[in-house]
């Protein structure tokens, strides 16, 4: 059975102190209400060590939101996969549309990041998804397939088993516009079929595919009930413990 996952992506929000408070808040709720899914907090780099120390690792895993495409050395301001791993974080989010769009992360750059993350023992939450323009031109399947082929289909099946896919239509991120559960299920099933064509049915069946894009407590249950939707990657609604728990609770 593949893992059900609810992962938060704090993005560039919260000071260190506020982030520790938020992690504590989520941990407090989950210590009284054991989650029925894997819960991950994706935090800025500077929060990682403290958040790892703050949470019960049996209840909550910790993820970075990025890592460098270089191993180490003279890359001022960058943070390597080895550094992320050394904080105790277990995951890294890569390929987020904000990184692709605002920071020019290409398929090739992301391929390097994924390779280094896996080589350093991190699991990867790899984001894919189309823009509004691409959706309107009915190109969404071609876009997600190209993103997979461009950055993760070079991996061996064993390496690919450490990848969680997050389908995040760009038009639904932070806009309040959610894909309908049928729209999301249709493309999740397509993504699983593309993985099956590349790695075989078993690997595809074992791959968790998360939905992201204005997911909240009021729509999580309907989305997560779909057979090919294995949880969510949550931006805005991960910034308050009660909102985030409202989504985790969809699995209870
Ligand atoms: C995200 O950016 O990963 C995301 C899903 O954001 P939001 O939930 O705010 O749409």
């Amino acid at each position: 059975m593949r893992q059900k996952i609810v992962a938060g992506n704090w993005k560039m929000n919260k000071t260190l102190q506020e982030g520790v408070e938020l992690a504590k808040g989520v941990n407090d709720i989950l210590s009284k209400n054991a989650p029925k899914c894997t819960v991950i907090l994706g935090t800025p780099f500077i929060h990682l060590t403290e958040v790892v120390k703050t949470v019960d690792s049996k209840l909550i895993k910790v993820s970075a939101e990025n890592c460098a495409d270089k191993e180490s050395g003279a890359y001022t301001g960058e943070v390597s996969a080895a550094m992320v791993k050394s904080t105790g974080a277990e995951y890294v989010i890569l390929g987020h549309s904000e990184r692709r769009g605002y920071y020019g992360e290409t398929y090739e750059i992301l391929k390097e990041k994924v390779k280094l993350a896996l080589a350093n023992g991190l699991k990867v939450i790899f984001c894919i998804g189309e823009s509004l323009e691409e959706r309107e031109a009915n190109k969404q399947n071609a876009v997600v397939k190209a993103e997979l082929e461009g950055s993760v289909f070079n991996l061996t099946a064993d390496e690919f088993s450490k990848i969680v896919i997050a389908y995040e239509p760009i038009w639904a991120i932070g806009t309040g516009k959610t894909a309908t559960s049928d729209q999301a299920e249709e493309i999740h099933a397509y993504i699983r079929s593309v993985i099956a064509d590349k790695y075989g049915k078993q690997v595809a069946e074992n791959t968790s595919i998360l939905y992201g894009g204005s997911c909240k407590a009021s729509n999580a249950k309907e989305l997560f009930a779909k057979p090919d939707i294995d949880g969510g990657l949550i931006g805005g609604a991960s910034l308050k413990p009660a909102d985030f728990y409202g989504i985790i609770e969809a699995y209870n």
Side-chain angles (χ1 to χ4, degrees), residues 181-232:
S181 56
D182 287 339
Q183 251 175 345
E185 169 58 21
E186 190 182 6
I187 192 156
H188 277 234
Y190 172 74
I191 292 165
R192 201 177 302 287
S193 77
V194 172
I195 296 170
D197 288 347
K198 171 71 187 171
Y199 292 107
K201 200 163 168 28
Q202 198 54 51
V203 171
E205 282 303 314
N206 290 339
T207 302
S208 298
I209 307 177
L210 314 185
Y211 170 79
S214 298
C215 184
K216 41 190 180 286
S218 58
N219 57 26
K221 216 173 184 146
E222 187 184 334
L223 285 160
F224 299 174
K226 294 290 183 187
D228 289 292
I229 302 180
D230 306 309

Side-chain angles (χ1 to χ4, degrees), residues 7-9 11 93 96-98 127 166 168-169 172-177 211-216 232-238:
N9 174 17
K11 311 193 184 191
I93 298 168
H96 195 284
S97 57
E98 289 155 14
C127 305
E168 300 205 305
I173 295 178
T175 58
K177 259 192 214 165
Y211 170 79
S214 298
C215 184
K216 41 190 180 286
L233 180 58
I234 318 298
S238 72

Side-chain angles (χ1 to χ4, degrees), residues 3-249:
Q3 257 188 314
K4 303 295 181 190
I5 299 172
V6 174
N9 174 17
W10 293 359
K11 311 193 184 191
M12 196 174 74
N13 291 297
K14 305 290 174 188
T15 63
L16 177 58
Q17 292 75 18
E18 289 165 351
V20 169
E21 275 312 298
L22 172 53
K24 234 185 232 160
V26 176
N27 195 72
D28 282 353
I29 298 177
L30 296 186
S31 60
K32 292 177 201 113
N33 307 277
K36 299 225 165 58
C37 59
T38 300
V39 175
I40 302 172
L41 297 181
T43 87
F45 293 128
I46 65 141
H47 299 64
L48 292 173
T49 306
E50 287 303 314
V51 170
V52 166
K53 278 194 234 159
T54 300
V55 301
D56 177 347
S57 62
K58 290 192 286 302
L59 297 174
I60 297 173
K61 311 293 178 200
V62 180
S63 176
E65 299 172 12
N66 184 24
C67 70
D69 62 338
K70 304 284 191 302
E71 206 161 335
S72 66
Y75 301 101
T76 302
E78 287 295 299
V79 175
S80 72
M83 292 172 186
V84 169
K85 179 71 178 172
S86 72
T87 66
E90 293 179 47
Y91 288 82
V92 59
I93 298 168
L94 293 174
H96 195 284
S97 57
E98 289 155 14
R99 301 282 332 162
R100 293 179 194 260
Y102 303 147
Y103 301 98
E105 296 195 354
T106 61
Y107 295 172
E108 278 307 309
I109 291 172
L110 288 169
K111 192 194 263 186
E112 284 308 302
K113 290 188 176 201
V114 169
K115 198 175 83 187
L116 287 165
L118 295 179
N120 283 281
L122 293 167
K123 284 170 261 188
V124 173
I125 301 173
F126 188 72
C127 305
I128 57 178
E130 79 286 356
S131 66
L132 183 59
E133 207 182 9
E134 290 162 339
R135 166 70 63 166
E136 284 172 350
N138 202 27
K139 287 189 181 149
Q140 63 274 17
N141 287 4
V143 170
V144 295
K145 185 168 190 237
E147 287 175 332
L148 292 169
E149 287 173 347
S151 305
V152 292
F153 275 4
N154 58 307
L155 302 174
T156 64
D158 189 44
E159 288 167 334
F160 191 82
S161 70
K162 316 264 180 352
I163 305 277
V164 170
I165 301 295
Y167 167 67
E168 300 205 305
I170 299 169
W171 47 271
I173 295 178
T175 58
K177 259 192 214 165
T178 320
T180 65
S181 56
D182 287 339
Q183 251 175 345
E185 169 58 21
E186 190 182 6
I187 192 156
H188 277 234
Y190 172 74
I191 292 165
R192 201 177 302 287
S193 77
V194 172
I195 296 170
D197 288 347
K198 171 71 187 171
Y199 292 107
K201 200 163 168 28
Q202 198 54 51
V203 171
E205 282 303 314
N206 290 339
T207 302
S208 298
I209 307 177
L210 314 185
Y211 170 79
S214 298
C215 184
K216 41 190 180 286
S218 58
N219 57 26
K221 216 173 184 146
E222 187 184 334
L223 285 160
F224 299 174
K226 294 290 183 187
D228 289 292
I229 302 180
D230 306 309
L233 180 58
I234 318 298
S238 72
L239 296 173
K240 287 189 185 146
D243 291 352
F244 193 47
Y245 179 65
I247 297 169
I248 295 166
E249 212 184 7

